[in-house]
Amino acid sequence: MAKLSLDSKIKEIMRNPQGKEVLLKYAPGFATNPAVKMIQMMSLRKVMAYPEAAEFAANAEAIEKELAEIE
C-alpha cells in the first residue's frame, strides 16, 4: 500500500484504520457526514481548498505528518 499523504484520496485514507483515525482526530464526525460520499474520490489536499474544510486546512501540516508516519 502506498504511503498516505494530503494527496491521497479520501477513500484511501478512510480505508486505512490509522488514516481514518487521523481524519477523525481533526474532524470528529467526518466519517458519518453524508457529504463524504461526494468527496471520497478527491484528494485530501483538494478538499482542504473548500471553506467547509477549514478544520482540516488549519491542521494540514500535522495531518500530513501523522499520515506519513503510518506504515
Side-chain angles (χ1 to χ4, degrees), residues 32-40:
T32 57
N33 187 324
V36 171
K37 288 183 180 183
M38 295 185 310
I39 63 168
Q40 67 181 343

Side-chain angles (χ1 to χ4, degrees), residues 20-60:
K20 183 176 181 177
E21 189 177 309
V22 171
L23 292 185
L24 294 178
K25 176 180 176 181
Y26 293 98
F30 181 80
T32 57
N33 187 324
V36 171
K37 288 183 180 183
M38 295 185 310
I39 63 168
Q40 67 181 343
M41 296 307 290
M42 295 173 66
S43 72
L44 184 53
R45 186 180 310 276
K46 185 154 183 113
V47 170
M48 286 180 176
Y50 291 95
E52 297 88 346
E55 57 198 318
F56 280 139
N59 296 296

Side-chain angles (χ1 to χ4, degrees), residues 4-6 13 19 22 44 62-70:
L4 296 176
S5 72
L6 296 182
I13 299 171
V22 171
L44 184 53
I63 293 170
E64 185 159 45
K65 182 178 185 247
E66 289 184 41
L67 289 175
E69 292 173 355
I70 296 172

